[in-house]
Amino acid sequence: MKTIKYSIIAMALGLGLTACTDLDEKVYDRIDAGVYYQNEASVKGAVAAIYGQTSQTLAGENFFHLSEYPSDQITWRVWNGGLWGWDEAMKTVLSWHNWTSESTIINNAWNGAWTAIGLSNLLLSDLEGLSAASLGMTDAQLAQYVAEVRTIRAWNYYCIFELWGGALPLNTSASSEVPGSADPDWDTSCKKIYDFIATELDETVGALAKDDDNHSMVNRANQAMNRLLKARLLLNAEAFIGENHYDECEQLSKDIIGGTYGNYAIDSNYRNLYSMDNVKSPEVIFALAAEDGQGAANAISNVRTMVGMWYGYADYFGQSYDGIGAWNCVCLVPSFDNSGTVQPTGGSIGAKSFLDYGDKLGAPYERFDDRDIRKQNYTYDAATKTHGPGMFLKGLVRANFGTGDVLKADADRDGQDLVFVDQLGTFLNQGRDLETVMSPRWGETNSGVRLVKYPLYPNDENGGFKSIDDVQFRLAEAYYNVAECEMRKGNSAEAKKYVDAVRQRYFKASDRTAALNVPGPGFDNFDMDWMLSEWGKEYLGEGNRRRTDLRRFDKFTQGQWWFWGRATEDGISLPAKRDRKYEWYPLPQTAISVNPGLVQNPNY
């Protein structure tokens, strides 16, 4: 789809943008389908709008906030004595599991979520009344476009289903009549939505294309993407509808691995997944197209690349970047408490690891084996235009990818050497005295390890890092699906085999055998806790932790990590186990006000 520019055509300006919030919306900007759609190019342009809006929504900020901050790997913290990053607690309420139906980010996510679905409904309504022959197309070609739109709509529905569950409406019409929740009964509604997504995927897979050796379909919904999404639905069925579909998930995932839906392979160099031309990687099944200056490139880059970047990042990476800003309030959840001897540059010597607390969650940096090539600071070689293999920034930070002068911190540590520590605390006692374990509200400018998974290497003739496509489906997920399904049957050796097929690439040949034979830091056995951790390491920072992992393992509200049960915050309860109502998000109050047919999540 990169050859199809992301231009939102006139048909996108009507009902789709407000389909589930404004009951009185009338469509004045629609162009009659018979006038607009003259040939295949016009159909492509309309379909491109669906992909472009999906990029803005699913790869945008709000879905990332809702999936990562309430989880055990990434957090939003406030710093400079509590003055910077507070944002009226919009993000910290996510880490605290203290949101309500009036929380800003939940409202923003809801408003954005329906745009791609509304556009899809409009387009499908238009295409139903057209003949392929009148467009100079075959029936199979037109059917493929229709199948793409239905698959992308199903994916959008899947992502909002993970957030709002049975409170959702099933809105599949271009009509101005907006339905209420799929069913007044929460469980029945969940089943209806689940069945809708499954049926859409099953009915469309045959009309989709398989990817070819040139990866020409990697930016378009293809058979393997459709099937991997179906496998994702099956894997999470227990969390969604209380049904066990692990055997079906495993078989479907094995079919994907075996090449039934296209030929793919695990990439021996994981950096190829996140670099320029990543669509050429044999592992990538589907990626949202990105091109600097086009469509959603800035929205995508903000979330995946600028997360955790401090305001002086240009000195490390060689330049600043237009249209996007640093997110210095975001960092990895700490691996260590704040005990020990405080150091002048922040952090302490002699702190206790949360692994030593016995936590099976959290402490993401320390979960990586020291032999893992990813557990290094990120670097880039300008001469060869290669980067990695590390994907973190920790410790003393120097300019020019770690080769130049020591960089300086700002704000609360203005003028001091910049040293990123794997701890979160007010070591300067600004805003609040230092405590052994502190809530996410409190940190400093150098608190927390930073993640550089999608690289920030300098702009070049290829358009710079903002032109790196955003990988959403890759073959590793199928391997981990099989591994988890085997683990759930008690077959840990078989589960390990599938995980090892992926994680072996993270170790040098001389380290590989020894490293693969141990479960790694914090674990004594290859068990379900280890399996959940492996999901977390493989997909760290990719916006999936809450929905893909923690809820399915019943750890989202019941698991222990970092500050839960150990920290205090004025007016906020931070118990080790949280209320299960937070396993789903509430509908925004504004949505219920304009659509009385919506039924609020009963727990709210």
Side-chain angles (χ1 to χ4, degrees), residues 487-541:
M487 187 69 77
R488 289 182 180 275
K489 292 187 290 188
N491 300 331
S492 61
E494 187 71 5
K496 178 181 178 298
K497 183 179 75 173
Y498 278 87
V499 173
D500 286 353
V502 178
R503 69 176 183 137
Q504 56 85 25
R505 64 183 169 194
Y506 302 122
F507 301 96
K508 297 177 181 178
S510 57
D511 295 330
R512 189 167 298 142
T513 299
L516 295 181
N517 282 334
V518 295
F523 301 99
D524 298 320
N525 302 294
F526 296 101
D527 54 16
M528 286 292 285
D529 288 329
W530 170 81
M531 184 71 240
L532 177 56
S533 181
E534 289 301 316
W535 274 110
K537 287 191 291 186
E538 182 63 28
Y539 287 92
L540 178 62

Side-chain angles (χ1 to χ4, degrees), residues 252-553:
L252 185 53
S253 298
K254 285 182 174 179
D255 290 342
I256 296 169
I257 294 169
T260 302
Y261 303 104
N263 295 321
Y264 303 93
I266 298 299
D267 202 314
S268 60
N269 182 356
Y270 89 98
R271 270 300 178 189
N272 291 336
L273 301 169
Y274 311 103
S275 304
M276 205 71 69
D277 295 326
N278 57 354
V279 293
K280 296 178 181 178
S281 169
E283 186 173 334
V284 177
I285 290 174
F286 174 82
L288 290 166
E291 187 174 345
D292 191 13
Q294 299 285 340
N298 282 353
I300 290 173
S301 297
N302 256 329
V303 169
R304 72 182 186 193
T305 311
M306 299 311 293
V307 166
M309 292 300 105
W310 70 106
Y311 301 132
Y313 73 90
D315 293 324
Y316 187 85
F317 295 98
Q319 68 178 86
S320 59
Y321 305 95
D322 295 334
I324 57 177
W327 291 23
N328 194 30
C329 295
V330 181
C331 60
L332 295 189
V333 165
S335 300
F336 292 88
D337 67 14
N338 303 324
S339 60
T341 304
V342 174
Q343 298 300 291
T345 52
S348 62
I349 293 178
K352 184 177 179 180
S353 170
F354 288 108
L355 275 65
D356 294 329
Y357 278 72
D359 291 0
K360 301 300 181 183
L361 300 167
Y365 182 78
E366 283 301 301
R367 297 289 175 192
F368 287 85
D369 190 299
D370 288 340
R371 295 164 291 192
D372 193 319
I373 60 173
R374 294 170 292 180
K375 198 179 182 181
Q376 303 176 39
N377 274 12
Y378 170 79
T379 59
Y380 177 72
D381 186 330
T384 60
K385 296 185 179 180
T386 58
H387 52 100
M391 64 179 193
F392 298 104
L393 289 177
K394 180 179 181 290
L396 186 68
V397 182
R398 296 179 177 274
N400 192 23
F401 300 99
T403 64
D405 296 334
V406 174
L407 297 179
K408 301 299 180 180
D410 58 6
D412 46 12
R413 291 192 173 273
D414 190 28
Q416 295 184 10
D417 290 350
L418 179 60
V419 181
F420 288 126
V421 297
D422 199 2
Q423 299 169 269
L424 262 73
T426 52
F427 294 92
L428 292 169
N429 288 332
Q430 288 192 22
R432 182 167 177 171
D433 289 346
L434 180 67
E435 297 169 332
T436 303
V437 179
M438 305 191 76
S439 86
R441 179 175 178 180
W442 301 102
E444 294 178 347
T445 185
N446 64 338
S447 286
V449 175
R450 309 306 167 94
L451 178 66
V452 189
K453 202 166 192 180
Y454 278 87
L456 282 84
Y457 50 79
N459 286 336
D460 57 20
E461 67 275 8
N462 293 319
F465 77 93
K466 289 193 286 184
S467 295
I468 303 173
D469 289 5
D470 190 72
V471 177
Q472 291 286 334
F473 293 84
R474 53 189 175 90
L475 188 62
E477 182 175 346
Y479 277 83
Y480 277 53
N481 287 346
V482 175
E484 182 181 324
C485 292
E486 287 294 327
M487 187 69 77
R488 289 182 180 275
K489 292 187 290 188
N491 300 331
S492 61
E494 187 71 5
K496 178 181 178 298
K497 183 179 75 173
Y498 278 87
V499 173
D500 286 353
V502 178
R503 69 176 183 137
Q504 56 85 25
R505 64 183 169 194
Y506 302 122
F507 301 96
K508 297 177 181 178
S510 57
D511 295 330
R512 189 167 298 142
T513 299
L516 295 181
N517 282 334
V518 295
F523 301 99
D524 298 320
N525 302 294
F526 296 101
D527 54 16
M528 286 292 285
D529 288 329
W530 170 81
M531 184 71 240
L532 177 56
S533 181
E534 289 301 316
W535 274 110
K537 287 191 291 186
E538 182 63 28
Y539 287 92
L540 178 62
E542 295 188 33
N544 296 315
R545 185 59 169 171
R546 170 196 171 270
R547 62 179 189 244
T548 304
D549 304 326
L550 293 182
R551 290 200 57 227
R552 189 172 66 254
F553 283 76

Side-chain angles (χ1 to χ4, degrees), residues 571-591:
I572 305 295
S573 176
L574 303 174
K577 292 188 177 182
R578 279 77 68 204
D579 193 323
R580 285 191 180 275
K581 80 174 187 178
Y582 295 111
E583 291 174 8
W584 299 98
Y585 285 109
L587 292 177
Q589 193 58 46
T590 53

Side-chain angles (χ1 to χ4, degrees), residues 50 115-125 149-150 152-153 156:
I50 309 300
T115 306
I117 292 173
L119 294 178
S120 299
N121 292 341
L122 286 170
L123 179 54
L124 290 170
S125 176
V149 176
R150 289 177 65 186
I152 295 300
R153 182 178 65 177
N156 277 272

Side-chain angles (χ1 to χ4, degrees), residues 123-183:
L123 179 54
L124 290 170
S125 176
D126 284 347
L127 296 182
E128 286 174 359
L130 299 175
S131 71
S134 68
L135 300 169
M137 302 166 61
T138 66
D139 289 340
Q141 287 174 316
L142 182 58
Q144 180 181 336
Y145 285 116
V146 170
E148 285 185 53
V149 176
R150 289 177 65 186
T151 296
I152 295 300
R153 182 178 65 177
W155 180 30
N156 277 272
Y157 245 107
Y158 176 88
C159 291
I160 62 175
F161 184 38
E162 289 178 324
L163 302 179
W164 288 290
L168 293 175
L170 268 178
N171 186 22
T172 61
S173 170
S175 167
S176 60
E177 296 296 324
V178 182
S181 298
D183 194 277

